[in-house]
Amino acid sequence: MSRNVSAPQIERLIQLLAKLPGLGPRSARRAALHLVQNREKLLEPLATAIRDAADNVVVCAQCGNIDSVDPCSICTDPRRDVSVICVVESVADLWALERASAISSRYHVLGGTLSPLDGIGPDDLNISKLIERAAAEDVTEILLAVNATVDGQTTAHYITDHLEGANVAVSRLAHGVPVGGELDYLDEGTLAAAIKSRRPF
Amino acid sequence: MSRNVSAPQIERLIQLLAKLPGLGPRSARRAALHLVQNREKLLEPLATAIRDAADNVVVCAQCGNIDSVDPCSICTDPRRDVSVICVVESVADLWALERASAISSRYHVLGGTLSPLDGIGPDDLNISKLIERAAAEDVTEILLAVNATVDGQTTAHYITDHLEGANVAVSRLAHGVPVGGELDYLDEGTLAAAIKSRRPF
């Protein structure tokens, strides 16, 4: 018989922490213990930070980004190139592109990919809003920065089909060898794509 | 130039989550995103749980355990064998023994081990309180359930020396082959100890 050893408050904390990606039951227990043993430095600040996030973080009705204002600070940033909308699957992908300072456009977060097997259809994604945005006069290019997976590419094709009415160029990310990557570790598809799209040196 | 992409509330959350054991900057970002995207199911409950823990969790003045009451529920449990005090390095070790239902004694949490190199001396640990508890009339055995490390064993020797005045038996955990363990993967010290302490079959 296993006894419930700690205070119910700690058990509850462990239970919730275990739901975070990257933490299992065991590491959640370690994290909870670390929290309650570092009250001033970690537990109190985290309580405040989570409360703050819960109270202030909103989803941008325009692009689906997450921010403390709606429309988000990217959508309202006057320095952004408004002629391009960079379409991503998730906020995590948006963050990744922003961290790389890869593009200075606005974004559109789909919130996933089409996936018939998982029952995810066009209505479950933020697609109709994208079609609407693409029709705006100043938008000239839709860059589909979706993942190079089957579902990502299916979604890209679906969106391209539905953008035919709008007067925009549709582009996608280049395929090729990742910077710093070793050929020996790359799959055949990537190598073939890199050869096919080879550039003058 | 890397831009600070998300709301300051999220950046703060990422920063604090990254301090948890088992989470680095990258997984903290994923965890924060998962939190703000699961407001009802995860963010709000976690905000409440952390507030609860911060408000209610206390350290037991008797044994050093963490609980919502002081003295803790183990120290006040009438079903516990009060003649044995099981000495552990950390609350995590106490939890591990309780999960295994390994012993039904009371505990004493040292809060670490003696470690001259790290500048941790006897006064930094919860040792004097243990000596005091060991002198109580109903305590007959002190079980030193410290880790089988150099620091753990040094601490065990130190405590044994200082318990000489008290009328108690001092015991330690058995060394041997872990249950389910394979001999091939065990170190020589463990194997030697297992041979030396062999038991009739």
Side-chain angles (χ1 to χ4, degrees), chain B residues 73-150:
Chain B
S73 52
I74 293 181
C75 280
T76 55
D77 184 348
R79 291 162 304 179
R80 297 271 166 167
D81 177 2
V82 297
S83 67
V84 181
I85 294 176
C86 180
V87 180
V88 292
E89 289 178 19
S90 67
V91 175
D93 293 344
L94 187 161
W95 288 359
L97 289 169
E98 282 292 296
R99 277 200 304 282
S101 300
I103 188 168
S104 182
S105 69
R106 292 186 181 167
Y107 292 90
H108 192 86
V109 181
L110 294 174
T113 49
L114 295 177
S115 181
L117 284 178
D118 299 324
I120 300 176
D123 295 340
D124 301 309
L125 303 179
N126 193 10
I127 291 182
S128 57
K129 179 76 188 170
L130 173 63
I131 311 290
E132 195 182 301
R133 289 180 71 192
E137 211 172 313
D138 44 6
V139 176
T140 58
E141 181 182 350
I142 303 288
L143 168 53
L144 298 173
V146 291
N147 291 334
T149 55
V150 171

Side-chain angles (χ1 to χ4, degrees), chain A residues 89-188:
Chain A
E89 291 178 19
S90 67
V91 175
D93 293 345
L94 187 160
W95 288 359
L97 289 169
E98 282 292 296
R99 277 199 305 281
S101 300
I103 189 167
S104 183
S105 69
R106 290 184 183 171
Y107 291 90
H108 192 85
V109 181
L110 295 174
T113 48
L114 295 177
S115 180
L117 283 178
D118 299 323
I120 301 176
D123 295 341
D124 301 309
L125 302 180
N126 193 10
I127 291 183
S128 57
K129 178 77 188 169
L130 173 65
I131 310 292
E132 194 182 302
R133 289 181 70 191
E137 208 172 315
D138 44 5
V139 176
T140 58
E141 181 182 351
I142 303 288
L143 168 53
L144 298 173
V146 292
N147 290 335
T149 56
V150 171
D151 284 348
Q153 296 309 305
T154 308
T155 311
H157 282 294
Y158 178 90
I159 292 174
T160 309
D161 287 348
H162 284 74
L163 281 174
E164 280 197 346
N167 188 24
V168 289
V170 181
S171 54
R172 66 160 179 81
L173 296 178
H175 288 312
V177 180
V179 176
E182 295 183 45
L183 300 193
D184 197 15
Y185 290 93
L186 284 174
D187 63 294
E188 292 81 0

Side-chain angles (χ1 to χ4, degrees), chain A residues 2-7 10-11 14 25-38, chain B residues 21 59 63-67 74 86-103 107-112 145-147 173:
Chain A
S2 166
R3 286 169 285 202
N4 221 354
V5 291
S6 46
I10 300 180
E11 291 296 333
I14 294 172
R26 221 188 168 84
S27 45
R29 194 176 296 122
R30 274 204 305 144
L33 188 57
H34 189 74
L35 276 173
V36 295
Q37 289 188 324
N38 292 275
Chain B
V59 174
C63 75
N65 186 21
I66 281 174
D67 203 344
I74 293 181
C86 180
V87 180
V88 292
E89 289 178 19
S90 67
V91 175
D93 293 344
L94 187 161
W95 288 359
L97 289 169
E98 282 292 296
R99 277 200 304 282
S101 300
I103 188 168
Y107 292 90
H108 192 86
V109 181
L110 294 174
V146 291
N147 291 334
L173 296 178

Side-chain angles (χ1 to χ4, degrees), chain A residues 9-10 12-13 16 35-36 39-40 42-52 55, chain B residues 42-58:
Chain A
Q9 291 87 352
I10 300 180
R12 176 83 181 131
L13 190 57
L16 288 167
L35 276 173
V36 295
R39 178 184 297 251
E40 299 304 321
L42 205 48
L43 187 59
E44 291 285 353
L46 191 60
T48 311
I50 289 192
R51 191 70 265 158
D52 268 9
D55 291 345
Chain B
L42 204 49
L43 187 60
E44 291 285 353
L46 191 61
T48 311
I50 288 192
R51 189 71 266 155
D52 268 9
D55 291 345
N56 293 302
V57 171
V58 287

